[in-house]
Amino acid sequence: VTSETPYLTARLASGLIGDLALLTAVKLRHARITSRSNARRDDGVVIGTTLFDEQHPAGWEGGWANSVTLGLVFDRRDFSPWPHRGVLAQVSYDGYPSGLSDHSFGRWNGEVSTYLPLAKNLVLCGRISTSEILGEAPFWEYARLGGNDRLRGFVDRRFQDRSMVLANLETRWRVLNWRLKREQFHLALVPFLDLGQVAPSILSSQMWRGWHVATGVEAILTWNLSTHLNVTAGFSVEGFAFALDTRVMF
């Protein structure tokens, strides 16, 4: 099954009191689903009817999944592109109303990230995030784990279900610092540990056993602390994953 899901997101956080802000967002997303039933493999064998075509999961016909988000953000990081200390906490609800979306459902999201300086060039970073779907959501909107921004060491979207819990722990060690004219550059080595699980519900017993674990290291080149180039090598029981990105994971 192939899912093509171009999307557009507009996000705005406006200050309320001190470090607390109101989060609002609108997301437009469309999926087109193509079945591989009766497709021919490279060796010439016809696949036949797939389980997808026999069961027709929610969202099998594709369509629009457009949402409106409302939430709260507490941000006490000293510098958001590359924090040295502080806390970021946010909770939000994504609503997919029937008048705006082909699929009517909702999703709760929560996340807490902390940054603790251990030395001038060494920071201990941790994040816990979770989400849970309410209602009948299309399968391509399920929570996912795997890939460079979720569970490094597993392929993208390796694990999917209605609910997700993810924990990340890493140390960011700036091993090199140099200047080129007025520009400042840093090279950081980041050993990490990622753990996560998906399940039909956060309250189900499946969520709290058999967590998926990945570990590895990132090399991050920063330009003026706000522009990044990341090379990630992640390892898991399923093998090795290599990725190149321009974003810090959290």
Side-chain angles (χ1 to χ4, degrees), residues 13-14 37 57 74 82 105 113 157 187 198 200:
S14 57
S37 286
F74 177 81
W82 187 263
F105 63 100
S113 303
R157 295 181 178 273
L187 178 64
V198 296

Side-chain angles (χ1 to χ4, degrees), residues 78-186:
D78 55 354
F79 185 60
S80 58
W82 187 263
H84 188 69
R85 68 175 69 244
V87 176
L88 172 67
Q90 49 188 340
V91 60
S92 63
Y93 178 78
D94 306 326
Y96 295 76
S98 57
L100 184 65
S101 174
D102 293 332
H103 308 272
S104 180
F105 63 100
R107 173 168 42 222
W108 284 103
N109 309 283
E111 181 175 316
V112 177
S113 303
T114 61
Y115 308 87
L116 176 65
L118 303 178
K120 180 180 179 180
N121 293 321
L122 185 65
V123 180
L124 178 65
C125 310
R127 178 180 71 168
I128 297 177
S129 58
T130 184
S131 69
E132 173 143 10
I133 287 175
L134 306 176
E136 192 69 23
F139 71 91
W140 35 270
E141 279 287 342
Y142 278 12
R144 63 177 179 82
L145 290 179
N148 197 41
D149 64 340
R150 284 289 181 176
L151 193 62
R152 296 163 286 190
F154 291 93
V155 298
D156 190 38
R157 295 181 178 273
R158 173 62 180 86
F159 309 103
Q160 290 185 253
D161 212 319
R162 295 173 55 85
S163 302
M164 173 275 295
V165 175
L166 174 67
N168 309 105
L169 183 67
E170 60 185 42
T171 55
R172 298 175 184 172
W173 177 31
R174 291 195 308 186
V175 296
L176 290 176
N177 306 276
W178 71 95
R179 286 185 175 273
L180 183 61
K181 295 185 178 180
R182 297 184 178 181
E183 308 303 315
Q184 188 176 25
F185 296 88
H186 306 276

Side-chain angles (χ1 to χ4, degrees), residues 147-148 151-154 167-173 188-195 212-220 231-237 239-243 249:
N148 197 41
L151 193 62
R152 296 163 286 190
F154 291 93
N168 309 105
L169 183 67
E170 60 185 42
T171 55
R172 298 175 184 172
W173 177 31
L189 294 181
V190 184
F192 63 81
L193 174 66
D194 297 342
L195 308 96
H212 310 293
V213 180
T215 187
V217 64
E218 286 187 333
I220 304 178
V231 179
T232 304
F235 302 88
S236 70
V237 294
F240 166 78
F242 175 83
M249 187 175 183

Side-chain angles (χ1 to χ4, degrees), residues 32-44:
R32 185 177 64 189
I33 310 301
T34 304
S35 171
R36 297 192 63 193
S37 286
N38 300 318
R40 189 176 298 274
R41 298 190 326 207
D42 293 340
D43 58 5

Side-chain angles (χ1 to χ4, degrees), residues 7-53:
Y7 64 90
L8 173 66
T9 301
R11 177 185 173 108
L12 175 65
S14 57
L16 290 176
I17 302 174
D19 299 309
L20 188 65
L22 177 68
L23 170 67
T24 55
V26 175
K27 184 181 76 171
L28 307 179
R29 186 182 189 191
H30 184 267
R32 185 177 64 189
I33 310 301
T34 304
S35 171
R36 297 192 63 193
S37 286
N38 300 318
R40 189 176 298 274
R41 298 190 326 207
D42 293 340
D43 58 5
V45 176
V46 177
I47 294 176
T49 302
T50 65
L51 188 63
F52 173 84
D53 289 289

